[in-house]
């Protein structure tokens, strides 16, 4: 507060930098699911180095024709080749007619960002070549098409979230300048975070969803922290304390709570940094920046904004808001706490029963590495995918790619290699669920040194489905027994194999990291709360909240409830990254609410209140803050839910459900009833 001008200038400069860098950040984002050192990564490395084929730079062209003669088909292919020739570093890897559709795969050594810039040029070149009906898709075209849609979703989501937050803050804090502080604080905090994320993207791979996640989760956390801080100042002012003293108390109490809250959220997200998947690590990095920067700004920028508003700005005018109460120990939350204390066993058993019902569907959880077919239907890249999947099956857009390394140059065209290749192709073609196997003697299939051969195995089922997974296992089985010369190695690449390696890496490492995070959070809580019992109880309640939320999300996904009620996605499987990131962020947010409430209960107990009195006083003073913050966060998540992308819709809906369950069943009823049952055990590790 003494250096408020300097602090304000630094934060404004950082926020302006974020606003300027926001557009540039989009050019650095990717959708890659590559797993370093996996079989699919090795296959891709060979494809890139020997066939100049980078999957993130590959286009797929689809052209519908009717009754074309062989000569007309050759002319179509020639026109496509002329158009492709206008794109730097691009070459045709495969071109063939399948069921009235001319399919062309265009490989490129460019990365995703560079290749996406060629999308419009390729489309115009195809029109100039006399093929206006060609539909262009593939990762570069998808990125080119979805980036403006995601930007629109982000702007609309921010406007909706800010509008909802403004109305709720007015309802909560009443007519005062204090109502504007959380919004100003959140806007500066979000744009400053974007600046930091851009710097991180210069070193680490960052995924396409990062700006949306940073903006909406950053908004929720910033409002959470500022609401807690402002409410504490108002509480102190209502007790006739000087403004400076009220700010000092808020700094010591709310500030301490914010620090441990940010630490808990950060620990949960930091676990993602140890997952050997760049996609997940980037989510962890971005998520980690949000709470850390929010806590830093809450201890620097927020006090400056409060000082600018002054005591007059903190006090409500005419309408004081629902959080203001002359008798807080008789408010709704205090009455709920008294009921839980009066009937602790009944409330605890009822709450656990309801959680069990909500969690029941978790046994039906099915994850998928991606939901590629669930793009907005008005995009050209999405229409192309729909065209080919409707006629040939969903697996056509995610073929398996097999790289055959014969061990030495000049072997690929030899008779024994070709005989073995024909037998291998025949065996692959006989596998149930295979639509086609693409093989040829052109440079697209045999490298210049004639050491490497590649094949495309096109399935009929969508990536992540049981049928697609079974097909991949059958392909691997066929690869393990072949008649190629001694010293030959086969590698399975392509999107399905990459997705399987992605899921395997998560299944192998994430559970271990969750255990490590729980231990780290326990140690942090133990130091903060000075009670092992309270720390264990907090973690168990968080885990119950997670299980109930995942079960509920699975139910509304599997039975299409979200589609029927909200009119959003209709996709029965949950994207794997959503579950991982959802667990990390919701665990932290749930711990937020736990810390907000228990820290105030502990404060009352240290003042000499009995266990029951401390519970009532703590919940009476923080229940409204937690519930208000929860509704604001749910409003922020609506920006995800009504967007256009399944992964973000699932993340938003899951977080909204989790916040609702946590702020109601867990914090309002289960927490006080359990603490009432524990009695003196709550405080066994700490003497007055």
């Amino acid at each position: 507060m003494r250096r408020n001008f300097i602090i304000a200038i630094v934060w404004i400069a950082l926020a302006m930098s974020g606003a300027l860098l926001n557009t540039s950040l989009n050019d650095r984002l990717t959708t890659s699911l590559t797993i370093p050192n996996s079989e699919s990564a090795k296959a891709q490395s060979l494809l890139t180095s020997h066939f100049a084929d980078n999957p993130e730079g590959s286009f797929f062209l689809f052209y519908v024709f009717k009754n074309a003669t062989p000569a007309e088909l050759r002319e179509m292919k020639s026109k496509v080749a002329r158009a492709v020739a206008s794109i730097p570093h691009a070459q045709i890897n495969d071109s063939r007619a399948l069921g009235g559709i001319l399919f062309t795969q265009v490989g490129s050594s460019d990365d995703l960002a560079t290749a996406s810039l060629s999308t419009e040029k390729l489309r115009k070149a195809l029109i100039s070549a006399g093929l206006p009906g060609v539909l262009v898709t593939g990762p570069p075209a998808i990125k080119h098409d979805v980036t403006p849609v995601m930007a629109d979703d982000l702007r609309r989501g921010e406007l909706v979230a800010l509008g909802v937050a403004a109305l709720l803050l007015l309802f909560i804090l009443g007519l005062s300048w204090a109502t504007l502080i959380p919004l100003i604080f959140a806007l500066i905090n979000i744009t400053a975070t974007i600046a930091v994320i851009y710097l991180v993207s210069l070193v680490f791979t960052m995924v396409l969803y990062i700006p949306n996640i940073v903006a909406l989760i950053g908004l929720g956390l910033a409002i959470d922290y500022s609401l807690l801080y402002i409410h504490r100042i108002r509480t102190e002012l209502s007790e006739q304390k000087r403004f400076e003293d009220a700010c000092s108390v808020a700094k010591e109490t709310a500030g301490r709570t914010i620090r441990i809250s940010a630490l808990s959220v950060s620990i949960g997200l930091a676990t993602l940094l140890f997952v050997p998947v760049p996609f997940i690590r980037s989510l962890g990095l971005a998520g980690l920046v949000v709470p850390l920067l929010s806590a830093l700004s809450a201890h620097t920028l927020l006090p400056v904004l409060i000082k600018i508003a002054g005591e007059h700005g903190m006090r409500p005018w005419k309408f004081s808001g629902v959080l203001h109460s002359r008798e807080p120990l008789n408010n709704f939350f205090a009455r709920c706490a008294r009921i839980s204390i009066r009937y602790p066993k009944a409330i605890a058993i009822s709450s656990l029963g309801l959680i069990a019902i909500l969690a029941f569907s978790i046994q039906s959880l099915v994850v998928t590495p991606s939901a590629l077919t669930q793009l907005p239907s008005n995009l050209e890249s999405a229409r192309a995918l729909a065209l080919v999947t409707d006629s040939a099956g969903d697996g056509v857009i995610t073929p398996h790619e097999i790289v055959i390394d014969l061990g030495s140059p000049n072997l690929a065209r030899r008779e024994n290699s070709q005989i073995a290749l024909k037998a291998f192709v025949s065996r692959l073609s006989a596998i149930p669920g295979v639509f086609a196997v693409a093989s040829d003697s052109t440079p697209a299939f045999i490298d210049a040194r004639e050491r490497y051969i590649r094949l495309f195995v096109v399935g009929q089922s969508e990536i992540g489905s049981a049928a697609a997974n079974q097909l991949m296992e059958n392909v691997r089985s066929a690869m393990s027994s072949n008649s190629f010369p001694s010293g030959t190695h086969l590698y399975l690449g392509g999107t399905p194999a990459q997705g399987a390696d992605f899921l395997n890496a998560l299944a192998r490492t994430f559970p271990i990291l969750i255990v490590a995070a729980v231990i780290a959070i326990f140690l942090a809580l133990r130091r903060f709360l000075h009670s092992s019992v309270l720390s264990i109880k907090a973690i168990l309640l968080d885990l119950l909240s997670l299980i109930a939320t995942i079960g509920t999300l699975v139910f509304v996904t599997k039975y299409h409830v979200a589609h029927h009620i909200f009119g959003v996605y209709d996709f029965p499987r949950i994207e794997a990254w959503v579950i991982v990131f959802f667990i990390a962020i919701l665990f932290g947010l749930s711990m937020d609410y736990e810390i907000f409430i228990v820290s105030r209960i502990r404060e009352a107990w240290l003042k000499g209140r009995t266990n029951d009195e401390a519970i009532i006083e703590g919940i009476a003073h923080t229940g409204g803050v937690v519930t208000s913050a929860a509704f604001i966060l749910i409003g922020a998540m609506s920006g995800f839910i009504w967007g256009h992308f399944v992964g973000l819709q699932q993340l938003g809906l899951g977080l909204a459900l989790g916040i609702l369950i946590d702020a109601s069943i867990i914090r309002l009823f289960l927490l006080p009833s359990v603490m009432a049952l524990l009695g003196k055990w709550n405080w066994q590790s700490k003497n007055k």
Side-chain angles (χ1 to χ4, degrees):
M1 285 189 170
R2 288 193 301 270
R3 296 174 177 84
N4 58 86
F5 180 75
I6 295 174
I7 293 293
I9 290 297
V10 169
W11 278 104
I12 290 171
L14 193 57
M16 291 177 66
S17 300
L20 292 172
L21 292 171
N22 189 40
T23 303
S24 301
L25 176 62
N26 287 325
D27 296 333
R28 308 195 61 82
L29 304 179
T30 182
T31 57
S32 174
L33 293 179
T34 301
I35 314 300
N37 302 318
S38 64
E39 182 187 356
S40 60
K42 292 175 184 176
Q44 189 48 57
S45 177
L46 293 174
L47 289 169
T48 302
S49 57
H50 298 286
F51 295 92
D53 182 11
N54 174 16
E56 290 198 340
S58 296
F59 294 95
F60 298 96
L61 316 182
F62 300 103
Y63 183 61
V64 180
F65 62 88
K66 292 183 179 179
N67 304 320
T69 64
E72 289 172 334
L73 196 56
R74 286 194 298 271
E75 178 62 21
M76 291 179 205
K77 291 183 178 181
S78 176
K79 290 179 179 180
V80 170
R82 288 200 301 272
V84 171
S86 66
I87 308 302
H89 313 125
Q91 73 285 327
I92 294 176
N93 288 333
D94 190 24
S95 184
R96 62 186 64 222
L98 298 170
I101 300 175
L102 177 62
F103 161 77
T104 305
Q105 197 242 342
V106 179
S108 169
S109 58
D110 288 336
D111 59 25
L112 180 65
T114 305
S116 68
L117 299 176
S118 300
T119 303
E120 202 57 40
K121 183 178 181 181
L122 177 59
R123 286 170 173 163
K124 290 179 179 178
L126 288 164
I127 293 172
S128 299
L131 296 172
V134 175
L135 297 176
V136 180
T137 189
I142 291 172
K143 184 180 190 303
H144 173 273
D145 292 347
V146 305
T147 296
V149 178
M150 292 191 78
D152 287 343
D153 280 358
L154 179 57
R155 284 192 293 270
R156 184 172 58 254
E158 286 176 331
L159 287 174
V160 170
L162 284 171
V164 170
L167 290 174
L168 287 173
L169 285 169
L170 187 64
F171 182 66
I172 294 162
L173 297 176
L175 291 171
S176 71
W177 291 111
T179 304
L180 297 177
I181 290 177
L183 298 175
I184 297 170
F185 175 65
L187 286 172
I188 295 175
N189 198 58
I190 291 168
T191 48
T193 303
I194 291 293
V196 177
I197 293 294
Y198 178 83
L199 296 177
V200 173
S201 74
L202 298 176
V203 182
F204 299 97
T205 299
M206 304 299 282
V207 299
L208 200 60
Y209 301 132
I210 292 297
N212 302 65
I213 289 171
V214 166
L216 296 181
I217 293 179
L219 173 68
L221 276 181
I223 290 179
D224 260 13
Y225 293 163
S226 55
L227 193 59
L228 181 69
Y229 210 106
I230 290 168
H231 178 63
R232 189 55 192 255
I233 290 176
R234 281 189 162 186
T235 300
E236 298 302 316
L237 289 175
S238 69
E239 296 175 2
Q240 307 304 315
K241 290 186 179 178
R242 294 170 57 247
F243 178 64
E244 291 76 10
D245 294 337
C247 290
S248 180
V249 171
K251 182 195 73 171
E252 295 299 325
T253 55
R256 187 166 178 260
T257 302
I258 288 169
R259 287 194 296 275
I260 187 62
S261 166
L263 178 62
S264 298
V265 177
S266 299
I267 289 173
L269 290 165
T271 60
L272 302 184
L273 301 180
F274 298 95
V275 177
V277 181
F279 185 103
I280 297 298
R281 282 178 177 169
S282 71
L283 292 173
L285 274 169
L288 191 59
V289 169
V290 174
L292 291 179
L293 209 61
S294 296
L296 178 62
S297 58
H299 285 79
T300 53
L301 175 62
L302 187 55
V304 170
L305 295 175
I306 289 171
K307 182 180 180 180
I308 292 171
E311 181 177 357
H312 179 71
M314 288 294 103
R315 296 187 183 277
W317 178 69
K318 290 190 176 181
F319 173 60
S320 57
V322 295
L323 280 188
H324 180 77
S325 175
R326 296 183 183 277
E327 298 181 1
L329 295 182
N330 290 319
N331 64 19
F332 169 77
F333 302 99
R335 290 195 293 273
C336 288
R338 286 192 179 93
I339 292 172
S340 296
I341 290 170
R342 188 178 305 163
Y343 310 105
K345 289 183 180 179
I347 295 294
I349 292 171
S350 300
S351 299
L352 290 172
L354 183 54
I355 288 170
I357 293 170
L358 294 174
F360 181 77
S361 294
I362 199 170
Q363 61 185 327
S364 302
L365 173 64
V366 178
V367 297
T368 181
S370 72
L372 188 59
T373 58
Q374 302 298 308
L375 296 172
S377 58
N378 61 313
L379 303 179
E380 179 177 328
S381 52
R383 294 202 310 274
L385 296 180
L387 169 69
V388 70
T389 54
D390 288 345
S391 59
D394 292 331
V396 175
I397 59 176
T398 53
H400 303 269
E401 292 189 59
I402 300 175
V403 180
I404 304 168
D405 178 6
L406 297 171
S408 300
N410 305 315
L411 296 179
R413 298 184 189 277
R414 289 189 179 180
E415 185 177 359
N416 60 339
S417 296
Q418 287 297 308
I419 291 173
L421 179 62
K422 284 185 179 179
F424 184 51
V425 169
S426 177
R427 185 173 180 183
L428 290 171
S429 301
I431 295 175
V434 170
F435 176 74
V437 178
S439 174
D440 209 329
S441 58
T442 62
F445 291 87
I446 299 177
D447 78 312
R449 298 179 63 201
E450 299 184 6
R451 172 177 171 174
Y452 298 96
I453 302 172
R454 77 162 168 179
L455 304 172
F456 291 97
V457 181
V458 182
Q460 297 173 325
S461 303
E462 185 177 28
I463 181 174
S465 66
N469 293 336
Q470 184 59 54
L471 173 59
M472 184 171 55
E473 292 305 315
N474 291 339
V475 169
R476 281 183 169 150
S477 177
M479 290 169 59
S480 64
S481 58
N482 60 77
S483 56
F484 287 103
S486 177
T488 299
H489 296 281
L490 280 72
Y491 302 93
L492 181 61
T495 304
Q498 195 178 67
D501 288 339
F502 173 67
L503 294 180
N504 290 336
L506 292 181
R508 189 173 62 251
T509 59
F510 193 59
I512 299 171
L513 296 174
I514 287 293
V515 173
V518 166
I519 293 171
I521 289 174
F522 168 77
L523 294 174
L525 289 175
R526 176 66 181 77
R527 181 174 177 81
F528 174 67
L529 298 173
H530 302 281
S531 169
S532 298
V533 173
L534 286 181
S535 302
I536 293 170
K537 184 265 307 174
I539 290 171
L540 290 177
L541 291 188
D542 267 21
L543 293 176
L544 288 173
S545 180
L546 267 176
I547 293 169
T549 304
I550 294 173
T552 307
L553 180 61
V554 170
F555 177 81
V556 301
T557 302
K558 180 179 179 181
Y559 297 104
H560 313 287
V561 176
H563 178 69
H564 295 309
I565 295 179
F566 299 108
V568 295
Y569 69 90
D570 188 18
F571 190 65
R573 295 183 296 279
I574 299 174
E575 292 195 45
W577 74 267
V578 171
I579 286 291
V580 171
F581 189 71
F582 163 79
I583 290 173
I585 193 67
L586 187 60
F587 193 81
L589 290 174
S590 298
M591 194 61 71
D592 250 5
Y593 299 151
E594 175 81 14
I595 291 166
F596 287 0
I597 296 171
V598 174
S599 60
R600 194 61 185 267
I601 294 174
R602 180 175 177 273
E603 186 181 330
W605 182 79
L606 288 173
K607 290 178 180 178
R609 307 289 192 271
T610 66
N611 183 66
D612 289 354
E613 289 171 346
I615 294 170
I616 294 168
E617 184 173 327
I619 291 178
H621 284 289
T622 57
V625 176
V626 166
T627 304
S628 302
F631 277 112
I632 290 172
L633 264 173
I634 290 170
M637 292 308 107
S638 66
F640 286 153
I641 296 171
W642 278 281
H644 290 86
F645 299 92
V646 167
L648 290 175
Q649 289 175 340
Q650 291 176 340
L651 178 64
L653 186 59
L655 288 175
L657 289 170
I659 292 163
L660 183 61
I661 290 169
D662 196 83
S664 55
I665 302 171
I666 303 293
R667 306 304 158 196
L668 205 55
F669 295 104
L670 189 57
L671 184 151
S673 62
V674 169
M675 287 192 72
L677 289 171
L678 289 171
K680 64 180 182 180
W681 290 99
N682 289 311
W683 320 106
Q684 281 298 300
S685 300
K686 178 70 179 178
N687 297 321
K688 286 188 181 181

